């Protein structure tokens, strides 16, 4: 048995504001032994995620009962 029931991976790069939809912002989820699948933005008016949308989506996922590991690929810069 694994410690986590679900893994969420977030590619979180791009130099814009928290509300800018960016092609480089991507979210993937793998549950159990399933292959990871890309999760598309929940906003039907846009094709790409914003950082704010990802944060709000993650808060909702982490409120669920599944033990979840989240990895965020974020290139910090100054």
């Amino acid at each position: 048995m694994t410690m986590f029931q679900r893994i969420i991976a977030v590619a979180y790069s791009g130099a814009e504001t928290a509300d800018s939809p960016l092609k480089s912002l991507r979210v993937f989820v793998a549950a159990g032994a399933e292959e990871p699948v890309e999760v598309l933005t929940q906003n039907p008016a846009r094709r790409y995620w914003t950082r704010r949308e990802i944060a709000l989506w993650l808060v909702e996922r982490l409120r669920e009962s599944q033990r979840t590991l989240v990895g965020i690929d974020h290139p910090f810069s100054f």
Side-chain angles (χ1 to χ4, degrees):
M1 175 176 270
T2 63
M3 183 181 290
F4 300 101
Q5 297 167 313
R6 171 175 59 189
I7 298 172
I8 298 174
V10 179
Y12 199 76
S13 61
E16 295 289 336
T17 69
D19 294 308
S20 299
L22 299 171
K23 184 178 182 178
S24 60
L25 298 176
R26 299 177 68 189
V27 178
F28 293 84
V29 175
E34 296 175 8
E35 290 291 317
V37 294
E38 186 166 6
V39 178
L40 302 178
T41 179
Q42 307 298 294
N43 185 335
R46 282 198 298 275
R47 183 174 178 185
Y48 302 117
W49 288 95
T50 68
R51 286 187 174 96
R52 189 175 316 279
E53 288 172 337
I54 290 173
L56 294 171
W57 182 86
L58 276 174
V59 166
E60 291 302 315
R61 298 300 69 76
L62 295 174
R63 286 184 176 148
E64 297 169 356
S65 62
Q66 290 179 294
R67 292 184 312 273
T68 303
L69 173 67
V70 178
I72 300 175
D73 176 16
H74 188 295
F76 293 101
S77 65
F78 298 95

